[in-house]
Amino acid sequence: MTQAGIPNQAGLAFTNSPAGGGRPIWALITILVLAVALGGGGSKYGISNLIVQLAALAALSFHQRGFFAFWRTAPIILRVLTALSVIVPLLYIIPLPSPVWSALPGRELMVQSFELIGGKEWATASVDPIRTLLAVTALITPMAILTIGWTASRDQLITVGWIVVALGLINFLMGIPQALSTGQEWLLYPENLMRGVLFGSFANRNSAGLFLVGTLALAATLPAPARFAHAALAGRITICTLLFVAVILTRSRTALILAIIPIALAVLQAILWQIRRNSSAAVRGPRSALLLIAPIVVVVVLAGTVVVAAPGRVNDVLERFNEGEDARSYMWEDAAYSAKRYWPVGSGTGTFDDVFQIDESLENMTLRRAGRAHNDYLEVAIEAGLPGLALLAGWLASIVWFTWKARTSPQRWIAWSGGVILLTIALQSITDYPLRNVSMLAFGGYALLILVRFSAPIHTNSSQETVL
């Protein structure tokens, strides 16, 4: 066994060092479990979201050390982006004098409405400040995970990762009766009835599929606990297979495509490890070649097993690729018009559902209400304008930077699993809205935490606590 927190020669186990204390890990586990259990319904389920946020605030009150340590020691770019993520939406709820707010783009209807009731001297830049304030409160959960986890040891963060994998398996177990039902039973959020679809603890099957893809990335790359090292490979293959089957059962096209990314990462890790091991051990001949192609053979066998075991489900997902997305493309046209109306300031975070109803064209209207733009980049452009897009670009650039920086870390594969999770979230945001529920916000916060923490070299102080 090597230094605390570094995988052993097989790349499958880590030490159970007590570094960092026991308290942060329990706070992280509690927040993540509550978030996944209660926070997958989106903004419609305010009470459930409130429970998660209150738990996050309570955890922060007991872990002030981690909170302040984050703001003292985290990379400057991470601190700046985290602070701006809170400050930018808060600016939209600051009262402004009438000459200022009425001159902002897209406020004509507000001016006319206030004139009908006798005018209004002061108003916010947000067309609905209550919704904007609610959107700000959604940031409590990921910020709690990021700051509390900052003082946790790397071993503890790996343990939390396996807890998240367990939550993925629980979602799979929850989804079995859902997938076998007529679409009206076993659902936590019954407003979205679909026959034979796995939702787990989510209201949106795309979010459920994305969460399972993220847990697949963790299961494929995290080092296993040392006491399970003898069965690590078999257990890893079994868990990854179950999670991949669960992704298929969600019948989410984006999730199925995005599942290729963590699988490719795992195959690349296995191949490079075999090459390095063979080179250091001077192993040659047929056995060396067999070890080199073994990961590819495993992936092919797993894929074949899934297709044979559940051909109907696989066919259902493949057939959905041939279905048109005209309604979504029309929605994007109207959303782009809304973005132009409020550009470059935006209408205020969380106000899409209010402003889109004004700009939705009659020929594109259906019996269903859009609710979301089904493209988070367009939605950010509408709600936060140029400042929001600039902040979003900053986050994407920082993720790329930390991912590149991780190439020199001895625990690069753990960091890259976090990068893969964030990458899949960014990609699904093109056609959906994965970060519009507390569950995925919490999961994204954890992914960002391990990306940053494990991308840095390991240093230990006198108390053996792992720090950056």
Side-chain angles (χ1 to χ4, degrees):
M1 189 65 63
T2 58
Q3 181 180 354
I6 302 178
N8 63 5
Q9 187 178 8
L12 297 173
F14 65 90
T15 59
N16 294 315
S17 169
R23 295 175 60 191
I25 184 175
W26 293 112
L28 291 175
I29 291 173
T30 300
I31 297 172
L32 283 165
V33 169
L34 285 175
V36 174
L38 302 175
S43 58
K44 293 181 180 179
Y45 296 87
I47 298 299
S48 298
N49 295 336
L50 178 62
I51 293 173
V52 179
Q53 291 161 5
L54 290 176
L57 286 173
L60 278 173
S61 68
F62 286 103
H63 294 86
Q64 299 178 27
R65 171 176 169 266
F67 180 83
F68 291 111
F70 172 83
W71 293 108
R72 289 195 309 269
T73 63
I76 183 63
I77 183 63
L78 184 60
R79 283 180 280 167
V80 169
L81 289 172
T82 302
L84 288 177
S85 296
V86 178
I87 293 173
V88 168
L90 284 177
L91 292 176
Y92 284 83
I93 58 177
I94 296 176
L96 302 172
S98 179
V100 176
W101 69 260
S102 61
L104 298 177
R107 268 59 179 188
E108 297 83 3
L109 290 178
M110 286 183 60
V111 173
Q112 296 173 13
S113 300
F114 285 135
E115 286 178 350
L116 292 175
I117 60 174
K120 189 170 185 178
E121 292 298 323
W122 293 78
T124 62
S126 172
V127 300
D128 192 336
I130 300 300
R131 286 188 178 273
T132 300
L133 182 60
L134 288 175
V136 175
T137 62
L139 299 175
I140 293 173
T141 304
M143 182 173 291
I145 290 174
L146 187 61
T147 55
I148 293 174
W150 199 252
T151 55
S153 70
R154 298 192 181 199
D155 286 352
Q156 291 176 338
L157 294 180
I158 294 172
T159 300
V160 172
W162 282 111
I163 296 296
V164 175
V165 172
L167 293 175
L169 293 175
I170 292 173
N171 266 262
F172 174 50
L173 293 176
M174 292 176 59
I176 292 176
Q178 295 171 354
L180 296 176
S181 72
T182 59
Q184 300 181 9
E185 299 89 14
W186 306 99
L187 296 178
L188 296 182
Y189 308 100
E191 73 274 6
N192 192 11
L193 301 179
M194 292 183 183
R195 182 175 182 178
V197 173
L198 184 151
F199 284 92
S201 60
F202 292 83
N204 184 328
R205 63 176 171 183
N206 292 325
S207 296
L210 185 61
F211 175 71
L212 292 166
V213 169
T215 58
L216 176 60
L218 295 175
T221 56
L222 289 181
R227 60 182 176 274
F228 298 126
H230 63 284
L233 182 58
R236 192 184 302 277
I237 292 175
T238 301
I239 293 172
C240 289
T241 302
L242 293 175
L243 292 173
F244 186 63
V245 171
V247 171
I248 294 176
L249 292 178
T250 65
R251 297 179 62 182
S252 169
R253 288 166 292 183
T254 55
L256 184 60
I257 294 175
L258 294 174
I260 297 173
I261 300 177
I263 292 174
L265 180 69
V267 171
L268 178 62
Q269 180 187 19
I271 290 175
L272 293 179
W273 175 77
Q274 291 288 4
I275 293 175
R276 185 166 59 251
R277 181 175 180 271
N278 294 346
S279 175
S280 61
V283 179
R284 299 292 184 267
R287 181 173 178 272
S288 176
L290 179 61
L291 290 174
L292 185 60
I293 66 173
I296 301 176
V297 173
V298 169
V299 172
V300 172
V301 171
L302 291 179
T305 302
V306 170
V307 172
V308 172
R313 300 296 182 184
V314 175
N315 185 61
D316 289 342
V317 178
L318 295 178
E319 284 183 353
R320 293 196 67 238
F321 282 97
N322 295 324
E323 298 176 3
E325 284 291 348
D326 291 342
R328 188 170 294 183
S329 63
Y330 294 150
M331 190 185 304
W332 292 341
E333 292 179 8
D334 295 336
Y337 182 83
S338 290
K340 292 179 182 178
R341 174 195 289 271
Y342 295 97
W343 185 263
V345 177
S347 60
T349 306
T351 61
F352 169 83
D353 195 34
D354 295 319
V355 302
F356 183 76
Q357 311 309 318
I358 300 172
D359 294 325
E360 187 176 17
S361 55
L362 293 176
E363 60 268 26
N364 293 340
M365 292 184 66
T366 66
L367 295 177
R368 299 181 64 183
R369 185 165 177 161
R372 295 291 183 186
H374 293 267
N375 182 316
D376 252 354
Y377 302 99
L378 263 177
E379 194 159 334
V380 168
I382 295 170
E383 296 181 344
L386 183 60
L389 290 179
L391 181 59
L392 183 59
W395 274 115
L396 293 176
S398 68
I399 291 170
V400 172
W401 161 245
F402 285 118
T403 301
W404 172 254
K405 180 183 176 184
R407 75 192 190 283
T408 60
S409 170
Q411 296 175 299
R412 64 182 70 86
W413 297 102
I414 303 175
W416 284 340
S417 68
V420 162
I421 295 171
L422 296 173
L423 172 62
T424 57
I425 291 174
L427 291 175
Q428 195 184 78
S429 296
I430 298 174
T431 59
D432 209 72
Y433 43 96
L435 290 181
R436 301 291 176 162
N437 64 75
V438 175
S439 296
M440 288 305 300
L441 278 171
F443 192 32
Y446 171 74
L448 178 63
L449 176 63
I450 62 174
L451 170 61
V452 178
R453 286 290 307 274
F454 288 95
S455 67
I458 296 177
H459 304 286
T460 56
N461 58 22
S462 58
S463 64
Q464 297 301 308
E465 178 180 354
T466 305
V467 295
L468 290 180

